[in-house]
Amino acid sequence: MKRLVTMTLGAMLMASAASAADLTIALQDDPDVLDPHRARTFVGRIVFTSLCDKLVDIDDKLAIVPQIATEWSWNDDNTVLTMSLREGATFHDGAPIDAEAVKANLDRARTDEESLRKSEVASISDIAVVDDLTIEITLSQPDAGLLAQLTDRAGMLMSPASFEADPGQNPVCSGPYKFVERVQNDRIVLEKFAEYWNADAYAFDNVTFVPIPDATVRLANLRSGDVDIIERVAPSDLETVESDDTITLASVTGLGFQAIEVNMANGERADTPLGQDKRVRQALDLAIDRNVINEVVGAGTYEPAYQAFPPASFAYNPEIGNNGRDVERAKALLAEAGHERVAFELTFGNNTIMQQVMELVQAMGAEAGFDITLRPTEFAALQSALKAGDFEVGQSGWSGRVDPDGNIHQYVTCEGSLNDAKYCNEEVDRLLNEARTINGDAERKALYDEAQAILRDEMPIIYLFYLPWPFVHQASIEGFTAYPDGMIRLAGVTMGE
C-alpha cells in the first residue's frame, strides 16, 4: 500500500495544483506503448480515445457513427468499402488527414512486423486513393466485422511522418488532445489540440492519466479531490460511493470478459500437463465456481462467463456452461489423465481485484487437485510475459468489441495476434473465418456455435466473468456518459463549480 501511495504522489500533487480547466483520470493499470498498431492494453485504449481519432466511432447504443470518415458505402457484394473523409482535419504535427495518410495507417496496421492489428484487418487486400478525401478499401472476401474493427485501434490514425520516430514513446496522433509527456508508472499528460476539427466540444485544457492499481487508493484519491474520474471502482466500494454525495457513479454493462489462458505451444513453458492434455484443462474449468467469484469479489456485478460473447451479443449461446462447478468430475478427469494432483503457476496483473479473483481460483483449484502458485506482476510485465510465452497459465482480459468477431478471432485462430497460448485448430479457423464473410446474424451464430463446441472441448481459454464498466466522477462533472466499450469520451464533458 505504501508503494502504491508513493507511486501516485507526484500525480496527486499535480492534480491538486491544477485549474478547473484541467482533468485528471485515474486508471487501474499503466498503459503499454502509445502506438495503437502495437498496443494491447485496455487502459491504453482509454488514453487513445482522447489522443487518436479513428475512421469511425460508436455511440452509447453501439451504433457506428462518423469520426474522420463522414460517409461510407459498400459495393453490391460487400467487398469494396468506399469512405469519404472529413475536410480540414489535421494531425498534431499539422499534416493533413487525407486519403494518403489513411492508406499509410491501414497499410501499417496490416503489414508492420510488430502490428497487433493484422488479424483485425486481414480481410483487406488493397487500399486505393481515389482523391484527397476518398479512399477505397478492397477486401479479399466480405468481412462483416470490419467497420466495427475500424472503431478501435485498427482504425486509429497517426501522422505517417512519426512512424519511424518511435511513436510508442512519442505519439503524433489526430485526436482532440495531443501528447505532452509520459513518466512510466506515474502519469501521461495530454493537452488540448487547438486545431482539432471539433475542438469546441472539449472543455479541458489538459488531461492527465495516472495509474493507481489499488482500487481503494483510486477511490480515496477521488474522494479527496486529487483526481476527477476513476475507472473500475471495486464492487466492495460501491456502498461507499453511493453514500457520498460529492461523487457520482456512472455504470454500464460491458462487452468484455476476464479469463485465464493456458500456454499450449508458446515456448518451453507450454510443456505441462495443462498445456498438453485437454482433460486437465477441462478439470480446471470444472474446479472454478464463477458464482463465488461474482458474489465474493464482484458483489453481484461479475456475471459468470463461459464463453467469449456477452449476453447482449447475437452470438451468445445460453446453453454453454449450465453445469457449473463439479469438483468430483474434475478429480475424475485428472485421474483419467494420470494425475492425482497437478501443479502450475498462474501469472496475472497485480491489482486489487485480480489478486482477489486469482486467490479464489487458487483455493477452488486446490479442492479439485491443483496446486497453484500465484505470480502477480505489473500489468505491462504481464503483457510482455504473455507475448513471449513466459507463462503456464495467464490472465486474459478483454474489454470487448461491438462485433462478436472482435471477441474471439484474434484469441483462438492459429495466427491470431492475441493468441498467446498458440492454440491452433484448423476447423476453428475455418468456422471463424467463414463467420467473417456472412452478414446474417443467424447464419453467423450457427458458425460460432460450432466453433464454441470445439473450444469448450479443447479449452485453451477458461472464461471467468463478464466485465461491468463502473466509473465514478466528481459530482461537479457534467455531461459524462458511460459507454459499453469502457472508453472515456470527453466531448461535451464539463466541470461545474
Side-chain angles (χ1 to χ4, degrees):
M1 179 69 75
K2 289 181 180 178
R3 178 172 177 270
L4 291 167
V5 172
T6 301
M7 279 171 53
T8 61
L9 182 59
M12 290 165 58
L13 292 174
M14 280 182 52
S16 63
S19 71
D22 296 341
L23 188 75
T24 301
I25 299 172
L27 306 175
Q28 177 174 283
D29 307 294
D30 194 40
D32 59 342
V33 295
L34 296 179
D35 177 345
H37 297 152
R38 299 176 178 179
R40 57 186 289 149
T41 60
F42 167 72
V43 287
R45 292 175 61 218
I46 294 179
V47 175
F48 288 138
T49 300
S50 291
L51 182 65
C52 302
D53 265 5
K54 300 160 288 190
L55 284 167
V56 286
D57 199 6
I58 62 166
D59 64 17
D60 60 347
K61 304 301 182 185
L62 301 182
I64 296 176
V65 297
Q67 197 163 75
I68 292 299
T70 56
E71 296 180 320
W72 53 90
S73 62
W74 292 95
N75 68 342
D76 290 341
D77 65 359
N78 294 315
T79 57
V80 179
L81 173 64
T82 302
M83 307 189 92
S84 300
L85 307 181
R86 187 175 299 280
E87 187 173 1
T90 63
F91 293 105
H92 296 156
D93 61 4
I97 303 177
D98 57 16
E100 289 284 1
V102 171
K103 172 177 166 56
N105 273 269
L106 291 175
D107 281 340
R108 184 174 187 263
R110 67 195 186 100
T111 63
D112 183 84
E113 184 177 343
E114 296 183 43
S115 173
L116 297 179
R117 311 282 79 85
K118 289 179 182 177
S119 65
E120 299 168 13
V121 292
S123 60
I124 297 177
S125 60
D126 186 59
I127 303 167
V129 172
V130 178
D131 57 42
D132 285 351
L133 295 178
T134 309
I135 193 160
E136 189 176 87
I137 302 170
T138 300
L139 311 184
S140 57
Q141 58 187 9
D143 183 352
L146 180 64
L147 267 179
Q149 295 289 8
L150 297 180
T151 69
D152 201 356
R153 287 171 294 198
M156 289 181 185
L157 303 172
M158 297 183 295
S159 173
S162 72
F163 289 172
E164 303 304 321
D166 195 8
Q169 299 302 316
N170 298 287
V172 181
C173 241
S174 50
Y177 292 90
K178 62 182 180 180
F179 179 76
V180 176
E181 68 166 343
R182 177 177 194 174
V183 179
Q184 202 77 36
N185 292 313
D186 184 77
R187 65 185 180 272
I188 296 170
V189 181
L190 311 180
E191 70 177 13
K192 186 173 179 178
F193 179 45
E195 288 73 42
Y196 184 64
W197 59 271
N198 194 25
D200 289 347
Y202 293 84
F204 303 104
D205 294 332
N206 299 281
V207 178
T208 300
F209 298 91
V210 295
I212 306 179
D214 189 288
T216 301
V217 175
R218 265 198 318 280
L219 180 59
N221 275 259
L222 180 74
R223 298 183 74 193
S224 69
D226 290 317
V227 302
D228 303 304
I229 300 174
I230 64 173
E231 53 104 8
R232 281 180 285 183
V233 63
S236 58
D237 288 330
L238 289 175
E239 185 175 344
T240 299
V241 170
E242 292 169 353
S243 67
D244 188 340
D245 60 8
T246 69
I247 57 179
T248 300
L249 175 68
S251 188
V252 66
T253 300
L255 304 172
F257 55 78
Q258 281 290 346
I260 53 178
E261 60 182 326
V262 179
N263 189 345
M264 298 177 65
N266 194 352
E268 295 180 358
R269 302 201 70 189
D271 189 17
T272 66
L274 271 165
Q276 303 307 313
D277 194 324
K278 69 180 182 181
R279 293 170 296 184
V280 181
R281 298 190 292 275
Q282 292 168 356
L284 179 59
D285 172 72
L286 289 169
I288 299 171
D289 192 331
R290 278 83 163 172
N291 291 314
V292 169
I293 294 174
N294 181 31
E295 294 163 8
V296 174
V297 184
T301 66
Y302 287 178
E303 184 175 351
Y306 297 88
Q307 59 190 285
F309 309 126
S313 172
F314 71 80
Y316 177 76
N317 186 337
E319 297 180 4
I320 292 177
N322 287 340
N323 295 329
R325 191 184 194 219
D326 190 336
V327 173
E328 294 308 312
R329 177 58 181 156
K331 290 179 178 179
L333 283 167
L334 286 184
E336 288 178 24
H339 305 283
E340 183 176 348
R341 300 194 68 82
V342 169
F344 68 88
E345 181 182 75
L346 174 53
T347 304
F348 64 96
N350 187 20
N351 62 67
T352 310
I353 298 299
M354 293 318 301
Q355 181 75 36
Q356 295 171 347
V357 169
M358 297 312 176
E359 285 175 354
L360 280 177
V361 171
Q362 181 185 47
M364 291 185 285
E367 295 177 8
F370 292 96
D371 299 316
I372 305 173
T373 300
L374 298 182
R375 179 193 173 194
T377 72
E378 290 186 349
F379 193 68
L382 169 67
Q383 302 306 310
S384 297
L386 294 175
K387 186 176 181 180
D390 182 21
F391 73 103
E392 294 176 354
V393 178
Q395 175 192 346
S396 177
W398 189 238
S399 52
R401 297 296 182 268
V402 176
D403 189 89
D405 179 82
N407 270 30
I408 194 168
H409 192 282
Q410 62 265 54
Y411 271 99
V412 298
T413 51
C414 296
E415 301 299 325
S417 57
L418 295 176
N419 183 0
D420 299 314
K422 302 305 179 189
Y423 167 78
C424 186
N425 182 300
E426 291 183 0
E427 180 63 6
V428 169
D429 275 32
R430 185 191 69 78
L431 291 165
L432 295 183
N433 287 333
E434 185 176 346
R436 284 182 154 185
T437 70
I438 299 171
N439 284 327
D441 290 355
E443 295 89 341
R444 293 181 75 196
K445 183 181 183 304
L447 294 167
Y448 287 130
D449 284 348
E450 288 187 59
Q452 288 208 90
I454 299 171
L455 293 169
R456 282 293 295 170
D457 179 57
E458 298 189 337
M459 205 69 68
I461 299 176
I462 299 172
Y463 300 95
L464 300 177
F465 58 90
Y466 297 113
L467 292 171
W469 295 130
F471 300 92
V472 186
H473 58 77
Q474 299 294 343
S476 57
I477 287 180
E478 300 175 355
F480 180 86
T481 299
Y483 282 71
D485 64 354
M487 297 299 99
I488 296 176
R489 292 171 172 83
L490 296 177
V493 178
T494 60
M495 180 84 76
E497 295 296 328

